[in-house]
Amino acid sequence: MKTFLLSTAALALTAGFALADTVRMGTEGAYPPYNFINDAGEVDGFERELGDELCKRAELTCEWVTNEWDSIIPNLVSGNYDTIIAGMSITDERDEVIDFTQNYIPPEESVYVAMSDDVDIMGVIASQTSTIQSSYIAESGATLLEFATPDEMVAAVRNGEADAAFFQGAYLKPIVEESSDLAYVGDPIALGGGVGMGVRESDGDLREKFDAAIATMKEDGSLNTLLTKWFGEDQKTF
């Protein structure tokens, strides 16, 4: 991990953003309701609606770019896009490589789901690679089984490849509610400092613009409105 962090930081020295240019908003496009690709082939979801509003308030011209999760930070710092807005939790380790705005989703609980309520959560646990949830499982003593996407993680539980999945509660909640085979197990775990936008460390002006826009949405209540629209009335708000 140290090698990855150092090499990624070195890339950041060569990449920068000019505020006169179009801001490329990098997201995964595979993480509903945070972000997903709709039937028209366009980026959609909570972060698309939020990002468009932030760009409007910051008076920036923005376009959307998708990138696989496991390379989303390296491709930011190498200049393939200018922000990460992809359900990324703020952590000290990530903050060594990129900068974050203030959070636009409060810290939330991660949960275990399984096919049986007596499953051993110290057994084989599936999670998405390069997430705070996978890091937690790796350090917990359980056997970590990583997948590139959350969909694959859930499928691993259903096909018996993993005993349980551990991931963000907001993502797993609708899956559990709509299923007849999955249930919560164990206790919820609070991880990270909430979800924020990531930018290159060299792009302080851009970070400040988005930070100010997020602040105005918190102040006027519009961010809370979006949170409850996409995540439900029981979503933690500001």
Side-chain angles (χ1 to χ4, degrees):
M1 179 58 71
K2 286 184 178 179
T3 301
F4 165 76
L5 292 175
L6 289 173
S7 61
T8 303
L11 283 170
L13 296 176
T14 64
F17 168 76
L19 286 177
D21 296 336
T22 297
V23 180
R24 295 158 298 170
M25 306 281 275
T27 195
E28 184 183 11
Y31 190 30
Y34 297 80
N35 58 81
F36 57 92
I37 304 301
N38 62 25
D39 292 341
E42 299 174 341
V43 173
D44 205 338
F46 165 73
E47 284 167 322
R48 174 61 192 264
E49 190 169 355
L50 171 66
D52 285 349
E53 179 62 21
L54 293 175
C55 289
K56 178 180 177 181
R57 293 185 183 219
E59 298 182 342
L60 295 169
T61 301
C62 298
E63 64 181 25
W64 288 83
V65 178
T66 58
N67 192 94
E68 293 183 357
W69 175 259
D70 59 1
S71 62
I72 203 164
I73 289 180
N75 280 323
L76 169 71
V77 299
S78 63
N80 290 348
Y81 34 84
D82 305 302
T83 76
I84 293 172
I85 178 167
M88 179 171 283
S89 296
I90 300 168
T91 66
D92 291 340
E93 184 179 41
R94 289 169 178 158
D95 200 37
E96 293 179 9
V97 179
I98 62 176
D99 279 344
F100 284 97
T101 63
Q102 61 181 288
N103 59 21
Y104 55 80
I105 299 178
E108 62 179 308
E109 293 180 330
S110 297
V111 297
Y112 292 92
V113 299
M115 300 279 284
S116 170
D117 58 9
D118 61 354
V119 72
D120 181 10
I121 61 172
M122 295 304 292
V124 179
I125 308 300
S127 194
Q128 186 179 20
T129 188
S130 301
T131 61
I132 57 175
Q133 290 81 19
S134 64
S135 295
Y136 176 84
I137 295 301
E139 296 173 2
S140 73
T143 299
L144 171 65
L145 192 59
E146 292 185 291
F147 293 91
T149 68
D151 284 347
E152 293 173 295
M153 168 193 74
V154 173
V157 176
R158 285 182 160 139
N159 66 28
E161 191 176 357
D163 298 314
F166 182 68
F167 206 52
Q168 285 179 323
Y171 175 83
L172 289 173
K173 179 183 176 182
I175 295 175
V176 173
E177 290 179 343
E178 294 169 10
S179 75
S180 59
D181 56 352
L182 295 173
Y184 296 114
V185 295
D187 296 321
I189 307 292
L191 299 173
V195 174
M197 291 181 70
V199 300
R200 288 181 289 270
E201 291 186 333
S202 57
D203 289 339
D205 288 346
L206 182 62
R207 179 187 57 77
E208 289 176 4
K209 281 182 173 287
F210 280 120
D211 210 35
I214 294 169
T216 65
M217 291 190 69
K218 288 180 177 179
E219 290 167 3
D220 66 19
S222 57
L223 181 52
N224 286 344
T225 299
L226 280 184
L227 285 167
T228 55
K229 171 185 174 180
W230 285 98
F231 297 106
E233 293 296 329
D234 58 351
Q235 166 67 34
K236 185 183 295 184
T237 56
F238 294 99

